[in-house]
Amino acid sequence: GSQEKIYVILKNYNGDYWKKVIQGVTKAAEQIDEAVYLGGIDNETDVSGQISLIEKAQQQGADGILLAPANSNALVESCQEIKNQNISLVLIDSSINSDAYYMTGNMEAGQIAAREMLSMLSEQGNTDQDPLEVGILLSSDSSQAMVNRVSGFLEYWAKYAPEKWTINQDIRLNGGDVENAQAD
């Protein structure tokens, strides 16, 4: 009975990050009066599988598609077709090499994270004279979105952090595993 059909097509179901994304999609689906279809591929290298899911969404009359692209280049044509059909397209996690979508401003997201980090450190009683070192933990360094977020974070930090508050130069990769991140 929904007026619109929203398709969510993920590039992965594995890892704590994607489980959180699925929880968020599920919660949002319960809150809106639209049909939300959740699907995706098990492995980020299955680009043809993701293209097939996009084609099915188009054939089934999608009004909007929320897509976590598995490949920034291989999905350009599919995303352009979505745009040509006047289907709203929003990307999450990764971008494509096209302007056929709406997406998070990842540089700005990184700046917001840095601002929040500075605020939290100050609220915990740290002063400008206290030496602090902050570490950066990433699930992946191969995502352009992640690279842009780190760039935004570092840009804001360099501009506004007290001189004695530094960033550890050893950025740690944890593959999206919460236990690995906590151990780091």
Side-chain angles (χ1 to χ4, degrees):
S2 299
Q3 295 294 317
E4 295 186 354
K5 297 177 187 174
I6 311 297
Y7 286 76
V8 179
I9 302 172
L10 302 178
K11 66 178 177 179
N12 200 325
Y13 278 106
N14 304 312
D16 293 319
Y17 171 78
W18 292 107
K19 290 176 186 171
K20 290 282 187 192
V21 170
I22 292 167
Q23 287 175 349
V25 167
T26 303
K27 184 176 180 181
E30 292 170 357
Q31 294 174 351
I32 63 172
D33 187 27
E34 305 299 344
V36 178
Y37 302 92
L38 176 62
I41 53 179
D42 288 331
N43 185 322
E44 293 185 32
T45 61
D46 185 13
V47 176
S48 62
Q50 196 169 45
I51 290 171
S52 176
L53 289 172
I54 292 169
E55 290 170 352
K56 285 180 185 177
Q58 291 170 297
Q59 292 165 359
Q60 294 174 1
D63 294 294
I65 297 175
L66 182 68
L67 174 67
N71 185 297
S72 296
N73 293 316
L75 291 169
V76 170
E77 186 177 323
S78 296
C79 290
Q80 188 59 50
E81 288 175 22
I82 293 168
K83 183 177 182 179
N84 292 345
Q85 292 181 6
N86 293 321
I87 299 171
S88 296
L89 175 63
V90 177
L91 302 184
I92 60 170
D93 185 66
S94 300
S95 62
I96 58 166
N97 294 326
S98 170
D99 62 355
Y101 60 88
Y102 298 99
M103 185 171 173
T104 301
N106 288 307
M107 289 286 290
E108 184 179 357
Q111 293 169 352
I112 291 168
R115 184 184 69 221
E116 291 299 313
M117 175 68 74
L118 290 170
S119 176
M120 289 168 49
L121 290 169
S122 293
E123 287 171 6
Q124 290 179 356
N126 297 293
T127 70
D128 293 358
Q129 298 307 309
D130 293 328
L132 292 174
E133 185 176 37
V134 173
I136 296 177
L137 306 173
L138 299 178
S139 60
S140 168
D141 63 353
S142 62
S143 162
Q144 187 61 46
M146 194 70 67
V147 170
N148 290 348
R149 290 175 197 154
V150 170
S151 295
F153 185 95
L154 294 173
E155 178 183 291
Y156 190 94
W157 190 273
K159 194 171 186 178
Y160 296 107
E163 195 171 313
K164 291 190 175 188
W165 295 11
T166 62
I167 301 291
N168 185 303
Q169 297 303 307
D170 184 18
I171 295 177
R172 303 287 218 151
L173 299 177
N174 57 51
D177 185 296
V178 171
E179 289 180 16
N180 285 344
Q182 289 172 336
D184 285 345

